[in-house]
Amino acid sequence: MTRRDRALELLRQHSELAGVAAFPFDFDLDRAEHGEAVRLASGTALKVVAGDDTGGSYFVCSNGEVLYASSEGEAGLVGDSVDEALEVLIGLPGWRDYTDLDLQADIAELEAAVARTEESIRGSYASQLDLDRSRLLAGLGLRQLPQLELIRRLHRSLLRTEPDFILLNADEGCAYALLDRLPRPPLWKTALAPGRADLVMLRSDRTRWAEVADDPARRAALLRAAQYDRQTTDLPLLREVLRAEAQVGDTEELRLAAVLVGLHGHAQDYELIQSLRMANSDVYYGLGGFPEAAQDLSAWATAFDVSNHGQDPAEEDELAWAELARRQGRTELARSILLRLLDEAGPRDAPLLGHLAGQFTRLGDFIQAARARKLHASLQDDPQQRGASMLSLATLQRRAGDVEAAWKSLQRAVAELDGPPPTPPTDQLALDLNLHEQERRTVAWRGLQLGHRAAEEHFLVARAAAATGLSATARAALAAGIAVLGTLTRPTNDLRGLANAVTEELEGR
């Protein structure tokens, strides 16, 4: 029994203490279940340990933190350990009333609010509240702390819920709302913070320029910080960052660095950018429209800047902050931004859903990527676009481990791409026209890269199905894949080799 979970073990061992925790403090070990399957977005462990009389549940996370989830789809951290959480729950019965309190208010006003809540509890159902509190805290070896201190601790925990402790409905993948409405810094401040810190540091310490310039993620964040905090004295630093980014090739950061340097209009910077263009074809085409004369450098940079870069981070697309966070290795921050965008997406957001599917894929979150792609596919009016989106969905579902769903999506993708069967003809000419149109559509997509992707996905689904014991699905996917392969215009040797390998694998089982 560790110190962090000592109180929980004592409750399990002493029924009389557990009874007091359940009533009047509403931490009931006998309610250790939740109304629906849930999981943390991060994928880390989660275990329900208690519940309350409203249908809410208390979960212990992998490092001991306690997460509360209401029956109304809200969740938030209430402590860094069970012991700390219980000090809050016992010290603040009715704690849900305090999640949005303004701690900048007058202390007397805050104390009066707490007193009103506790008086209501005493008058309604717990006349011995103070005695029960003292007895339970003593029995569990916990501290009785000032209630305003407990509220501050509760708020600190709640503010840590995002990004690391986002709770999801396990079946649908939607995120629970925050349990509180406490003010938080805007996303751009959180995402940009490392870059702004580096910019401040490098302005006073030239010896560390190379350290940051040589790190792609720090370089990207630094350039973003410089974009919104432009100072003439940063020019030598930006030149070094530009040289480093040019080694990568054509990137958004390359264009931003070139613009921030070019805005100053110096002839030596014109020569610098030109030399970088001539040394690398990707850089050459990435900085398209570059002027032919040095005197036009500033005008070129200004026009590009106005068209592509803002100077107010609050106006930036949230996808940009998600991508920056991902590049910095701040996976949960990126995931939290993308999740909220996905949960809020509607029928007019097909392009956004496509971007979200790609962003989740880059994060390695294939479950959420598949969720975004499925919604994206449902919004496509064109059959070929819908079929292509369904094919991408099948790939994501397979990578997420849902092989049966992948097989169904793959079958639907082919059906969408081939189109509906011909309508019953009224005469021979109509029959010929219908068959010709059907053949034209079938040949069209199977002669493209789309056809190769579809054939390959059939074989990969067959392999995944066989590996998970779904032999019937494996055989069906393999047979369908071989049929698609036989209609491709120019099947590659690699694709034929994959078909043969999967066939041998299934025959050997």
Side-chain angles (χ1 to χ4, degrees), residues 117-289:
T117 297
E118 294 213 352
E119 191 57 37
S120 174
I121 293 172
R122 290 187 190 93
S124 299
Y125 58 86
S127 59
Q128 295 186 341
L129 178 66
D130 297 311
L131 179 61
D132 287 337
R133 174 160 45 209
S134 298
R135 183 157 60 99
L136 184 56
L137 288 171
L140 297 178
L142 300 177
R143 299 165 295 176
Q144 183 161 356
L145 299 172
Q147 291 180 312
L148 291 186
E149 181 179 335
L150 290 175
I151 295 174
R152 292 188 183 94
R153 182 199 286 177
L154 174 63
H155 284 197
R156 287 195 297 269
S157 294
L158 291 169
L159 289 170
R160 289 183 53 230
T161 305
E162 287 196 353
D164 295 314
F165 300 94
I166 297 178
L167 192 67
L168 304 180
N169 174 297
D171 295 327
E172 298 177 1
C174 301
Y176 274 51
L178 290 173
L179 190 64
D180 66 273
R181 302 298 179 266
L182 296 171
R184 288 167 168 79
L187 284 173
W188 67 264
K189 278 192 176 181
T190 304
L192 201 56
R196 298 172 92 184
D198 272 344
L199 184 58
V200 170
M201 180 265 292
L202 296 179
R203 281 171 174 167
S204 61
D205 188 354
R206 183 168 188 145
T207 64
R208 300 185 65 183
W209 283 13
E211 170 192 332
V212 176
D214 291 342
D215 184 318
R218 293 180 72 180
R219 190 167 66 231
L222 175 70
L223 282 167
R224 282 291 194 174
Q227 174 184 346
Y228 303 115
D229 182 10
R230 305 183 181 194
Q231 295 188 19
T232 304
T233 52
D234 290 335
L235 181 56
L237 169 61
L238 293 171
R239 288 172 180 150
E240 182 154 347
V241 172
L242 173 60
R243 291 188 187 96
E245 193 63 42
Q247 300 302 310
V248 180
D250 180 16
T251 66
E252 180 60 33
E253 287 74 30
L254 169 75
R255 290 183 282 277
L256 176 55
V259 163
L260 293 177
V261 169
L263 285 170
H264 297 273
H266 296 321
Q268 71 179 94
D269 293 322
Y270 178 86
E271 297 300 330
L272 168 62
I273 298 173
Q274 187 70 297
S275 68
L276 295 174
R277 293 178 73 236
M278 301 310 295
N280 186 315
S281 60
D282 287 340
V283 174
Y284 183 89
Y285 290 109
L287 298 178

Side-chain angles (χ1 to χ4, degrees), residues 13 39 80 104 115 121 153 160 184 197 233-234 279 323 424 428 479 506:
Q13 294 167 10
R39 64 181 179 86
D80 287 342
Q104 302 303 314
I121 293 172
R153 182 199 286 177
R160 289 183 53 230
R184 288 167 168 79
T233 52
D234 290 335
E323 175 62 13
Q428 187 60 43
L506 266 62

Side-chain angles (χ1 to χ4, degrees), residues 29-44:
L29 300 185
D30 291 334
R31 297 178 184 266
E33 58 183 5
H34 197 56
E36 62 184 8
V38 293
R39 64 181 179 86
L40 285 177
S42 65
T44 54

Side-chain angles (χ1 to χ4, degrees), residues 434-503:
N434 282 343
L435 291 175
H436 175 73
E437 175 61 18
Q438 179 78 6
E439 182 180 1
R440 184 193 67 77
R441 288 190 57 179
T442 300
V443 170
W445 76 266
R446 295 180 190 232
L448 302 174
Q449 183 62 30
L450 196 59
H452 287 73
R453 283 180 52 209
E456 178 185 41
E457 191 56 39
H458 276 82
F459 301 132
L460 295 176
V461 166
R463 175 178 281 167
T468 54
L470 301 171
S471 57
T473 298
R475 289 193 297 271
L478 176 61
I482 291 173
V484 172
L485 179 64
T487 64
L488 298 183
T489 306
R490 296 183 181 85
T492 64
N493 290 333
D494 287 345
L495 192 54
R496 289 194 182 95
L498 177 62
N500 291 334
V502 174
T503 300

